Amino acid sequence: MPPSPVLKPKNRFSSDSTALQTPSQISDADGNTAEVTETILSVSGMTCASCVNGIERHVGSIDGVSSVKVDLMTAQATICHVSQMVPADGVRTAIEEMGFEASVLSSTTRNGKNSSAANNAALITGEQPVESWFNVEGMTCGSCVATLTDLLTVLPGVIAADVQLLTAQAMVKHRPRDIGVREIADVMSNAGYKATPLDMDSDANGGAAADLSAMALKNLEKHRKKAAIRFYWSLLFSIPMLIISMIIDMALPKSNPTAQAFHRKVFKHYSVSVICIFFIATPAQIILGAYFYKHAFKSLYRAKTANMDVLIALGTTAAYIGSIISVTIQDGDGEQFFETAVFLMTFVLLGRWLEAIAKGRTVSAVEALVKMQPEEALLVRVQPDQSAPILESINTRQIQLGDLLQVNNGMRVPCDGVVTRGQTDIDESLLTGESVPVVKSEGSAVTGGTLNISQSIQMRATAINEASTLSRIVKLVREAQSSKPHIQEVADRVASRFVPLVILASVVVLIAWIGAGAAGNIRREWLDSKQAMGGFGNTSSMDGEHGREPMAYGIFSLLNAVSVLVIACPCALGLAAPTAIMVGTGLAARFGILVKGGGATMEAASKIDIVAFDKTGTLTMGKPAV
């Protein structure tokens, strides 16, 4: 594992702004224009906008990083950096040092002096280098590694090769225009080492659209299952707590035998109800609270920020410890609010579970686009000594530029290309929205993902994998979903300062109410147990005492302070805007509408009053009316 990157403050980055140098502006240590790498990572453990801001500030302060975009909904981070100054693994390590789990999904390397259009052109023509990974069988020693390395580096179009003996894998950086993955695999296999291209590769073109979406859904599904398990565990404590504290202590009449049994004092001055509630709340605070304590510690110590977990940890701890102090000081008759801590953690864990479900549903909109890309293609191998060519089924990730492919009727076109033989009708509603098939003959261009609905054709591949039209559409939708509108930037800035302000407000409330109580300015009816807390834990009325001691003003003050902590949650601030953007762009993409610019464009679109359509033919309403 590479060493952790050295963190150096940069003048082009401040905590109040995430405006960094653009990739075209970044230079290496000698002042020369450097190659910029765009790395996409999966980040687990983010709970609110404070986590997003913490990662953006921390990673953005690394020397060599030009821009940082963290998407809370998809749990992914897109980082542009100079690989010579800080590699992709260094970026991942920096995020993990903050207490989050991170894994590199893909890395795109491009020259900083090239424009985006030039990079796209190089990608489509196959001139831009890519990194392809292979499983290699048969290597036994360092001599095998050296042999394969020498064999690969002399191949035309191969820029670099890294053969790893321990993992039995090889990484080859090459130009697809000059040599493809199948040809590289054949060279290694002919040398006696069976090589198989990896379907889930980490190429330098930003990763396959299908791979990224599949990984995002996989990570979100994993997060959803963990959130569901934590919520189910919380029910083991909250349901008994609900029965005892709410039903038995409050709903049942005093004459009920069950209520009398639970209000009976069995240990010194402590009733059965108080003892049961304490032994429910204690393991709940340890087992359920460990999740919040862990994330609160990571947020404060590693990320140097305060998130929602800090509020939950403080609120539940104050409720738990305050209940112990109250009940102990007043010999079992004091007010207790153990149930506050248990119910609070249960509700928060329920919210986390529902949030994880919502994230998975929004990401599935992009996955629906990805599924339009077929997984397999028919490769036409022309045999010099045979009249009939051989058809071979291959993975679409193994298609090379210039491959001759056959598309039978009912199959989807595997990649962008040109028809070389035959004539057919193609359903291009994926791109144009028109359900009327388009006739394609020799020389016609076809697009990957479109449907062949009539005759079999043969085509020549001209754009593959990430260079295909469908992959670029998916990438555009993903970038639109991760872009932040102005309102979200404002919400993120507020959320980053929200937690410290809430803690400060809670302390002020505590001090103010304690001062008011010491001065005798708190009304007695406010301190009455039944009005303040519902009478939990006080059994004096069951013993025939008609008068009840009011709640101590210190406990009353603590209750108000805890209330301020637990009702303040910055999650809505951080999730509202990205949720709306993801749902909007995802649904629009499914109906053939692509939004370039994402949230900023959608925010501006809300002010549109007039829409002008430039359409050949007629503009219909979806029914027999023009």
Side-chain angles (χ1 to χ4, degrees):
M1 180 176 293
S4 301
V6 178
L7 303 184
K8 298 179 181 179
K10 297 182 295 185
N11 295 331
R12 54 188 167 90
F13 183 86
S14 66
S15 59
D16 296 330
S17 174
T18 57
L20 304 177
Q21 285 184 356
T22 60
S24 60
Q25 295 173 316
I26 199 163
S27 303
D28 59 16
D30 298 329
N32 300 319
T33 302
E35 285 190 345
V36 177
T37 299
E38 182 183 81
T39 299
I40 300 178
L41 303 98
S42 172
V43 183
S44 302
M46 296 187 296
T47 57
C48 61
S50 295
C51 301
V52 173
N53 291 329
I55 294 176
E56 289 181 344
R57 287 197 303 268
H58 182 71
V59 178
S61 65
I62 300 176
D63 195 25
V65 174
S66 61
S67 67
V68 182
K69 284 199 308 181
V70 181
D71 187 6
L72 180 62
M73 288 299 297
T74 59
Q76 291 184 357
T78 303
I79 300 170
C80 291
H81 58 98
V82 178
S83 56
Q84 293 88 341
M85 301 174 69
V86 51
D89 283 339
V91 175
R92 174 186 57 80
T93 303
I95 296 177
E96 290 180 343
E97 287 176 347
M98 300 177 63
F100 302 100
E101 297 178 5
S103 59
V104 177
L105 298 182
S106 64
S107 258
T108 304
T109 302
R110 59 184 183 274
N111 194 295
K113 65 184 179 182
N114 291 339
S115 65
S116 177
N119 285 322
N120 289 335
L123 177 64
I124 295 173
T125 59
E127 296 178 359
Q128 182 168 312
V130 301
E131 292 180 0
S132 299
W133 287 82
F134 303 84
N135 280 328
V136 184
E137 300 177 9
M139 294 189 297
T140 58
C141 61
S143 177
C144 301
V145 173
T147 300
L148 274 180
T149 303
D150 294 339
L151 186 64
L152 293 172
T153 52
V154 299
L155 293 176
V158 173
I159 300 173
D162 180 18
V163 182
Q164 303 171 5
L165 178 62
L166 293 178
T167 59
Q169 291 183 346
M171 185 280 294
V172 181
K173 188 174 183 179
H174 62 100
R175 293 187 180 89
R177 179 192 62 182
D178 301 324
I179 189 170
V181 290
R182 289 201 321 276
E183 295 171 340
I184 297 175
D186 290 343
V187 169
M188 289 188 284
S189 298
N190 293 335
Y193 305 95
K194 184 179 179 181
T196 305
L198 294 179
D199 293 336
M200 300 281 288
D201 56 55
S202 300
D203 59 19
N205 287 326
D211 293 350
L212 283 178
S213 298
M215 289 179 183
L217 284 176
K218 182 179 179 181
N219 291 333
L220 289 175
E221 179 66 15
K222 180 180 178 181
H223 176 65
R224 185 196 63 79
K225 289 181 179 179
K226 288 183 178 180
I229 292 174
R230 283 192 291 265
F231 172 66
Y232 293 149
W233 270 103
S234 70
L235 292 180
L236 295 178
F237 302 102
S238 59
I239 292 178
M241 181 69 75
L242 175 67
I243 294 174
I244 297 175
S245 65
M246 295 294 179
I247 298 178
I248 296 178
D249 279 354
M250 292 185 62
L252 295 182
K254 301 175 183 179
S255 58
N256 186 277
T258 302
Q260 292 178 354
F262 271 85
H263 292 155
R264 184 169 55 89
K265 296 182 179 181
V266 294
F267 178 72
K268 294 184 179 181
H269 298 285
Y270 301 101
S271 65
V272 175
S273 175
V274 171
I275 294 174
C276 291
I277 289 176
F278 171 77
F279 281 105
I280 293 174
T282 299
Q285 192 68 29
I286 297 174
I287 297 175
L288 302 180
Y291 168 78
F292 298 103
Y293 290 138
K294 176 183 176 182
H295 285 80
F297 172 77
K298 290 179 179 180
S299 175
L300 294 173
Y301 180 73
R302 295 183 175 179
K304 301 297 187 294
T305 185
N307 61 7
M308 178 190 173
D309 294 316
V310 176
L311 292 180
I312 303 302
L314 287 175
T316 56
T317 302
Y320 177 76
I321 296 179
S323 298
I324 294 178
I325 295 175
S326 174
V327 174
T328 303
I329 291 178
Q330 302 185 48
D331 294 329
D333 286 337
E335 300 303 329
Q336 57 83 15
F337 30 94
F338 289 111
E339 74 288 337
T340 300
V342 177
F343 291 159
L344 174 61
M345 289 186 288
T346 300
F347 289 137
V348 171
L349 292 175
L350 173 61
R352 298 275 173 89
W353 181 33
L354 297 177
E355 176 187 320
I357 294 175
K359 287 181 179 180
R361 288 177 178 175
T362 53
V363 175
S364 63
V366 178
E367 180 69 6
L369 286 176
V370 173
K371 288 182 178 179
M372 296 181 182
Q373 182 76 39
E375 296 182 357
E376 294 186 347
L378 290 177
L379 175 66
V380 180
R381 290 189 179 272
V382 180
Q383 304 297 319
D385 55 344
Q386 297 181 9
S387 57
I390 298 177
L391 296 181
E392 178 184 349
S393 179
I394 62 172
N395 190 287
T396 53
R397 299 290 297 163
Q398 299 178 11
I399 298 176
Q400 299 179 175
L401 287 176
D403 275 350
L404 185 62
L405 306 171
Q406 180 163 316
V407 184
N408 296 329
N409 60 318
M411 295 176 58
R412 289 193 178 271
V413 179
C415 64
D416 295 356
V418 177
V419 177
T420 59
R421 183 180 178 183
Q423 179 175 321
T424 187
D425 295 327
I426 298 291
D427 181 2
E428 294 186 338
S429 58
L430 165 68
L431 300 176
T432 64
E434 290 285 352
S435 59
V436 178
V438 179
V439 178
K440 299 290 183 179
S441 57
E442 292 186 16
S444 300
V446 290
T447 305
T450 55
L451 181 64
N452 180 13
I453 59 177
S454 58
Q455 304 295 324
S456 296
I457 59 171
Q458 290 186 357
M459 56 171 285
R460 186 76 63 180
T462 58
I464 59 176
N465 300 332
E466 294 73 39
S468 66
T469 302
L470 181 59
S471 294
R472 285 183 286 143
I473 289 175
V474 172
K475 183 179 180 181
L476 178 64
V477 173
R478 185 180 291 112
E479 290 175 348
Q481 290 179 339
S482 63
S483 64
K484 293 183 180 181
H486 176 68
I487 186 64
Q488 185 179 346
E489 294 177 352
V490 174
D492 288 348
R493 286 197 297 269
V494 172
S496 64
R497 296 166 176 81
F498 187 74
V499 175
L501 290 177
V502 169
I503 296 175
L504 177 61
S506 178
V507 174
V508 171
V509 168
L510 177 64
I511 295 175
W513 279 110
I514 289 178
N521 294 327
I522 301 179
R523 296 182 181 180
R524 180 183 176 87
E525 56 266 25
W526 293 355
L527 300 176
D528 182 77
S529 300
K530 284 187 176 295
Q531 294 184 21
M533 282 299 297
F536 302 155
N538 193 316
T539 59
S540 58
S541 61
M542 297 300 300
D543 296 332
E545 296 179 11
H546 300 288
R548 298 190 61 176
E549 291 293 330
M551 179 190 300
Y553 68 83
I555 300 299
F556 179 76
S557 303
L558 180 61
L559 261 179
N560 292 329
V562 171
S563 299
V564 174
L565 285 176
V566 300
I567 66 174
C569 171
C571 282
L573 291 174
L575 288 175
T579 301
I581 293 170
M582 291 201 69
V583 173
T585 54
L587 289 177
R590 294 181 65 180
F591 286 99
I593 303 173
L594 300 181
V595 181
K596 188 173 184 179
T601 302
M602 298 182 70
E603 184 179 13
S606 64
K607 303 176 183 178
I608 294 176
D609 297 324
I610 301 174
V611 179
F613 291 92
D614 182 8
K615 187 176 186 300
T616 303
T618 58
L619 184 65
T620 64
M621 302 292 293
K623 52 188 177 181
V626 178

